[in-house]
Amino acid sequence: MVRRTKEEAQETRSHILDAAEKAFYTRGVARTTLADIAAVAGVTRGAIYWHFSNKADLVQAMLDNLFEPLDALARAGESEDEPDPLGCMRQLLINLFYQVALDPKTRRINEILYHKCEFTDEMSDIRRQRQDASIECSLRVEATLTNAVRRGQLPEHLDVSTASIGLRAGIDGVIAQWLLVPESFLLHERAQRLADSLLDMLRLSPAMRNKA
C-alpha cells in the first residue's frame, strides 16, 4: 500500500508538471498563477503546494530534466581519459539541436525558457538558479575544450574562456532564433552543419587565440 501511495504521489507530481508546462506555454510564466495550473491539472492548489513550494519551484522542476539524456555525453567530454572530447562535443550539439527540433516537449520547454519567462519578482530565485547553472555549464564546456586542446584537436593557444563564451552564445542564438521563427529553416536538417560551423569557429578564429 505504501509503495502504491508513493507511485500515486509521483504520478500526481508529473501530472502537475505537465499542466504547468501547458499553462506556461499558453500564457507565459508571469501571467500564469498556481490557480491556473491547478485548473488545468484538475487538482486543488493544496495538492500543488504538497509537491512544490511556489511557482519558481515548479519552473525549476520543469527545467531539471530538460537535457538529462545529454548529460552522460557532456561528462564524457569533460573526462581527461576521453580520447575524442571534441567529437563528444560535436555529438552533443547535434543531439541538442535534434531534440529541440523534433521532441515536442523539449521544444515547448525551451520556448518557455527563451521567450515566455521573465526572471523578475517571484522568479528571482529561479534567476539565481539559472545563473548558477550557467556558471556550471561554462566550467564544463571549458573542461571539454581544455581536453580537446590537450589532445591536439584544437589550437594549442586557444583562449578556452573566450571560446566557451562564443560557443555558448552561438548555441543560444541558433535555438532562440529558430524557436522565434521556426519556418525560417529546418533545424534538424542543419544540425550537423551548424554544429560543425560552431566548432570551426574555435579551430580557425585568430580572435580566440591567446596572444603570444
Side-chain angles (χ1 to χ4, degrees):
M1 181 64 71
V2 173
R3 180 179 179 183
R4 181 183 177 188
T5 300
K6 289 181 178 179
E7 290 174 350
E8 289 175 347
Q10 184 59 46
E11 287 178 6
T12 300
R13 186 179 188 276
S14 298
H15 183 59
I16 292 171
L17 278 173
D18 288 341
E21 178 191 319
K22 293 175 183 176
F24 292 150
Y25 185 78
T26 301
R27 297 174 57 85
V29 174
R31 295 181 64 242
T32 299
T33 66
L34 292 182
D36 294 329
I37 296 170
V40 174
V43 301
T44 65
R45 288 183 62 187
I48 294 179
Y49 280 119
W50 178 262
H51 294 279
F52 305 98
S53 302
N54 48 39
K55 186 162 68 174
D57 194 23
L58 256 172
V59 173
Q60 185 58 50
M62 184 181 67
L63 297 177
D64 278 343
N65 295 325
L66 185 58
F67 299 128
E68 185 176 356
L70 306 181
D71 191 63
L73 192 58
R75 294 195 181 281
E78 295 175 76
S79 171
E80 293 184 2
D81 296 327
E82 170 57 48
D84 186 16
L86 202 64
C88 287
M89 176 69 75
R90 180 180 184 272
Q91 193 59 55
L92 180 69
L93 294 176
I94 293 170
N95 290 352
L96 173 60
F97 293 148
Y98 276 152
Q99 275 201 337
V100 173
L102 300 178
D103 180 65
K105 187 177 186 68
T106 300
R107 175 175 174 174
R108 284 194 301 270
I109 295 177
N110 271 283
E111 189 161 349
I112 291 168
L113 180 62
Y114 277 90
H115 297 307
K116 300 184 178 185
C117 185
E118 296 177 307
F119 296 127
T120 57
D121 299 330
E122 62 181 333
M123 298 301 293
S124 59
D125 286 345
I126 201 73
R127 177 182 174 86
R128 284 191 292 271
Q129 291 168 352
R130 297 306 298 167
Q131 288 171 331
D132 290 342
S134 180
I135 292 170
E136 180 184 358
C137 181
S138 292
L139 293 174
R140 295 178 69 178
V141 170
E142 288 182 20
T144 298
L145 297 182
T146 298
N147 288 336
V149 171
R150 187 182 298 113
R151 295 283 182 177
Q153 296 180 314
L154 288 173
E156 180 181 0
H157 300 295
L158 181 73
D159 181 344
V160 294
S161 177
T162 299
S164 174
I165 293 169
L167 179 62
R168 295 189 60 210
I171 295 167
D172 282 345
V174 168
I175 294 174
Q177 179 61 28
W178 182 79
L179 289 170
L180 187 64
V181 193
E183 63 272 15
S184 61
F185 63 95
L186 296 176
L187 179 57
H188 64 287
E189 288 190 358
R190 298 199 188 187
Q192 295 188 32
R193 290 180 62 190
L194 288 168
D196 288 337
S197 69
L198 289 171
L199 296 183
D200 283 346
M201 173 181 67
L202 309 185
R203 293 188 186 98
L204 304 175
S205 173
M208 291 195 174
R209 311 285 180 87
N210 287 310
K211 295 182 180 179

